[in-house]
Amino acid sequence: MIRSIATCAALGLAVAGQAPAAFAAPFKLEGEPKVAMILFGPKNDGGWSQAMDEARQRTEKALGISIPVAENIQETATSIRPAAELFIKRGYNIIIGTAYAFSDTFKELSEKYPKVAFVNGSGTTTGPNLESFYGRTYETHYLCGMAAGAASKSGRIGFVAANPFGIVNWTINAYELGARQMNPAAVTTAVYTGAWKDPVKERAAAAALIGQGMDVIGQHVDTPTPQIVAQEKGILATGHHRDMREFAPAATQCSSVWYWDRYFVPTIRKIQAGTWEPRPYGAFLSIKEGGPDIVCCGPAVPKEAADRIMSERQALIDGKQIFAGPLKDRDGIERVVDGAIFGDAELWKMDWFVQGVVTQR
């Protein structure tokens, strides 16, 4: 669903240029932690919600607790509020949300229930007992772009994208930068569906790209449809949210995946210990910090290329920056000067494309 993500989030405060001060003191939980999760979609959607639910299950095992879940909760206050308050009335004091459009309602709930801790995936709001979180997916898609560049025979790569928001645009840009690490002539053509989850539009977009001669398809949408179409057409692909080999084992060469338990487990432990201080801009997690990572590589990626991808992954963990200068956009305008790094506020607002990216707008 990354609709959340979608928006300029994390969070949006950074985009707006505001600079909230750190909260006065760490949040103090009353009693032992009782955690519950509210999912935007079904637990088995194959994408965003399923990745959240799988992280919930891993968190249960890591902490030895039970985390009940409410699924298919629409992104409206009239749906979110009753689901959250039912958990709270039953004694749950840590509520995990999973959608951008939960943001305002979670903010209201956090103010109404100051003794309850709230965290929200891809949200935009924060508070003394509320933290939004998301991941630096441009890192993982840079690595999957390298896999795409190594696997492509033509250098013509397609990308099925949801909406032309900053978090999608940074994915496309990083993907192309990764592809060019392997093939300096690689071109990534992106098509926006205008929806986070629309298998019909995703199928049409993937088929159109393949019809134009693309031999690898990447994606930033919620369903595995582009992977499935790629396999049906006998070409290759890279996935988003989860390991897409589940749906297209022959096509999938790399997937950008979520490991949210790497965020949930230490956060819940901090809440329990009374040391949790929600970050004023929310948690924006790199591979090193937990959240996004990759599953790589498929058989179409040569071993030498796979080794190089994993070396780059380690470089990112060690501090390498993808959007570092000098960097020009496709119109030749310098976006990042030599020696500089593209800042987080600019990342959320990214509305330009690097050289080698083709879009319909």
Side-chain angles (χ1 to χ4, degrees):
M1 149 201 115
I2 297 283
R3 64 203 74 280
S4 25
I5 303 178
T7 75
C8 302
L11 274 111
L13 297 172
V15 176
Q18 301 172 16
F23 302 114
F27 173 78
K28 300 298 182 183
L29 188 72
E30 293 187 354
E32 290 300 307
K34 291 190 65 176
V35 188
M37 176 178 282
I38 301 174
L39 284 178
F40 158 79
K43 292 189 288 186
N44 62 347
D45 70 349
W48 171 261
S49 290
Q50 187 166 342
M52 282 285 185
D53 188 64
E54 289 167 345
R56 176 189 67 84
Q57 296 174 52
R58 293 192 296 269
T59 301
E60 286 182 323
K61 292 179 181 178
L63 296 178
I65 61 175
S66 176
I67 304 175
V69 58
E71 57 184 319
N72 291 310
I73 302 302
Q74 297 180 7
E75 294 175 291
T76 63
T78 53
S79 296
I80 302 161
R81 190 178 295 113
E85 291 190 324
L86 181 58
F87 281 130
I88 294 168
K89 287 177 182 177
R90 291 176 175 174
Y92 290 91
N93 52 16
I94 301 175
I95 308 297
I96 300 173
T98 60
Y100 162 72
F102 285 13
S103 298
D104 290 343
T105 304
F106 262 52
K107 180 66 171 177
E108 294 169 3
L109 287 165
S110 72
E111 293 171 349
K112 182 177 180 180
Y113 300 99
K115 296 181 181 180
V116 175
F118 296 85
V119 296
N120 184 30
S122 67
T124 63
T125 50
T126 60
N129 59 328
L130 167 63
E131 182 171 78
S132 292
F133 62 92
Y134 188 54
R136 296 181 185 271
T137 52
Y138 55 86
E139 292 186 340
T140 48
H141 279 281
Y142 168 79
L143 298 172
C144 282
M146 292 180 68
S152 174
K153 290 181 168 51
S154 68
R156 300 184 66 194
I157 299 168
F159 199 97
V160 180
N163 294 296
F165 298 133
I167 68 105
V168 181
N169 295 339
W170 82 37
T171 296
I172 296 168
N173 281 335
Y175 198 79
E176 169 63 9
L177 291 173
R180 289 206 165 193
Q181 287 288 323
M182 298 306 203
N183 179 356
V187 173
T188 297
T189 300
V191 173
Y192 295 98
T193 65
W196 296 108
K197 185 178 182 180
D198 190 325
V200 174
K201 290 181 179 179
E202 293 163 18
R203 174 170 285 277
L209 289 165
I210 295 168
Q212 295 171 29
M214 313 299 163
D215 61 1
V216 180
I217 298 290
Q219 69 175 78
H220 186 155
V221 289
D222 279 5
T223 86
T225 302
Q227 308 291 302
I228 294 169
V229 175
Q231 182 154 300
E232 290 173 352
K233 299 294 185 180
I235 70 161
L236 305 173
T238 67
H240 184 56
H241 289 319
R242 299 175 64 250
D243 183 355
M244 289 301 174
R245 288 178 298 183
E246 175 183 345
F247 304 97
T252 305
Q253 303 301 307
C254 179
S255 290
S256 171
V257 297
W258 297 113
Y259 291 109
W260 288 124
D261 48 301
R262 297 176 183 174
Y263 168 77
F264 294 151
V265 171
T267 299
I268 293 169
R269 284 175 172 158
K270 288 178 183 177
I271 293 172
Q272 182 177 24
T275 60
W276 182 55
E277 297 183 69
R279 282 160 276 198
Y281 288 124
F284 187 20
L285 308 170
S286 63
I287 294 175
K288 179 179 180 179
E289 294 165 323
D293 210 333
I294 59 168
V295 176
C296 194
C297 297
V301 179
K303 183 181 184 306
E304 180 181 352
D307 290 343
R308 185 174 171 190
I309 290 168
M310 298 313 292
S311 177
E312 281 291 278
R313 176 184 177 277
Q314 185 59 50
L316 292 171
I317 291 173
D318 292 339
K320 176 175 178 173
Q321 298 293 319
I322 293 170
F323 297 112
L327 183 63
K328 294 182 179 180
D329 66 18
R330 64 186 178 187
D331 298 317
I333 299 172
E334 187 172 58
R335 295 288 183 165
V336 188
V337 300
D338 190 12
I341 296 170
F342 210 53
D344 286 353
E346 289 78 15
L347 279 168
W348 290 108
K349 295 183 291 184
M350 185 175 279
D351 59 358
W352 53 272
F353 297 96
V354 299
Q355 295 171 350
V357 172
V358 177
T359 65
Q360 73 264 45
R361 61 188 71 208

